[in-house]
Amino acid sequence: MRKTLAILALVAATPLIGQGMQLPGQKDAARVTAGTYKTDPGHSLIGWEVNHFGFNDYYGLFGDIAGTLMIDPANLNAAKVDVTIPVGKVTTASAGLTSHLLRAGKDGGKPDFFGSSPADARFVSTKVVASGMTAKITGNLTLNGITKEVTFDAEFTGAGTNPFSKKETIGFEAETEIKRSDFGINYALPMVSDEVELDISVAFEKQ
């Protein structure tokens, strides 16, 4: 009984513990300082979404995102982004689908999706147009050996010092839509949609 009361007291007190505490990251642009930042791979990812047979949408993830951001709050339009995505680490909720995405082509032929040893994808910005907390970031996306121009709608989500790494950190979210056929991935069209929505969440740490 005494132990139960102690647990109940702790649960009741928990909301009070958090009151008045401020998260390390805040959506405050004044916290951003000029310099070169690198991604925090463990906390950066790209989600992708396709439609399956017209029934529902299906999701997958790319993690371990690596890259750099060069930014100066006094001249945001001069910012540069260079990000690499390890396609070979793609994951989904279905082991069978994940295996299919990375399956080699039959009899040495073209794979249905990425193949067994896919090259990393890469996005290199060529133009940034900032407006308040948001920006349009245009650049070249290379995927499956093909390069196309893509524009992301990006939003600043927070900045501050990471209490564990002790590094200044900036967070962003971004989204865009691409056609997989533009990158030579045509398997199961149109049963699996050509349109692929990309949702990015990335943290950059100052170097």
Side-chain angles (χ1 to χ4, degrees):
M1 181 67 175
R2 186 175 299 172
K3 183 177 180 180
T4 301
L5 290 174
I7 293 173
L8 290 173
L10 178 61
V11 171
T14 299
L16 299 177
I17 293 173
Q19 290 181 7
M21 294 181 66
Q22 188 179 60
L23 290 172
Q26 297 291 317
K27 197 170 183 177
D28 179 2
R31 290 180 167 215
V32 179
T33 61
T36 298
Y37 293 72
K38 285 188 177 181
T39 57
D40 173 2
H43 297 94
S44 299
L45 53 86
I46 297 175
W48 52 264
E49 175 184 343
V50 294
N51 184 266
H52 183 252
F53 281 30
F55 295 134
N56 68 317
D57 293 333
Y58 194 84
Y59 308 90
L61 287 173
F62 297 107
D64 288 337
I65 309 303
T68 58
L69 165 69
M70 291 185 290
I71 190 169
D72 181 354
N75 187 10
L76 291 175
N77 289 349
K80 301 288 185 183
V81 181
D82 187 338
V83 173
T84 298
I85 305 102
V87 176
K89 294 184 179 181
V90 65
T91 186
T92 73
S94 165
L97 175 57
T98 301
S99 176
H100 190 181
L101 292 174
L102 299 174
R103 186 186 303 163
K106 187 176 181 180
D107 298 325
K110 185 177 182 293
D112 292 338
F113 293 104
F114 301 126
S116 58
S117 300
D120 292 345
R122 186 181 180 191
F123 175 79
V124 180
S125 67
T126 56
K127 181 181 180 181
V128 174
V129 179
S131 177
M133 298 288 188
T134 65
K136 288 190 176 294
I137 304 174
T138 299
N140 294 316
L141 174 63
T142 300
L143 172 64
N144 200 31
I146 298 172
T147 301
K148 296 286 184 180
E149 186 175 82
V150 173
T151 297
F152 288 90
D153 291 312
E155 180 181 1
F156 166 68
T157 54
T161 300
N162 186 311
F164 293 100
S165 68
K166 308 302 181 185
K167 293 182 178 181
E168 292 181 43
T169 303
I170 311 174
F172 294 93
E173 292 181 355
E175 62 180 21
T176 194
E177 185 177 274
I178 63 173
K179 288 189 175 183
R180 59 189 179 95
S181 62
D182 286 345
F183 298 91
I185 304 173
N186 302 305
Y187 178 78
L189 290 174
M191 299 302 178
V192 177
S193 64
D194 195 7
E195 295 75 21
V196 182
E197 183 177 317
L198 300 178
D199 294 296
I200 293 91
S201 181
V202 59
F204 290 96
E205 296 182 327
K206 193 170 186 181
Q207 301 305 294

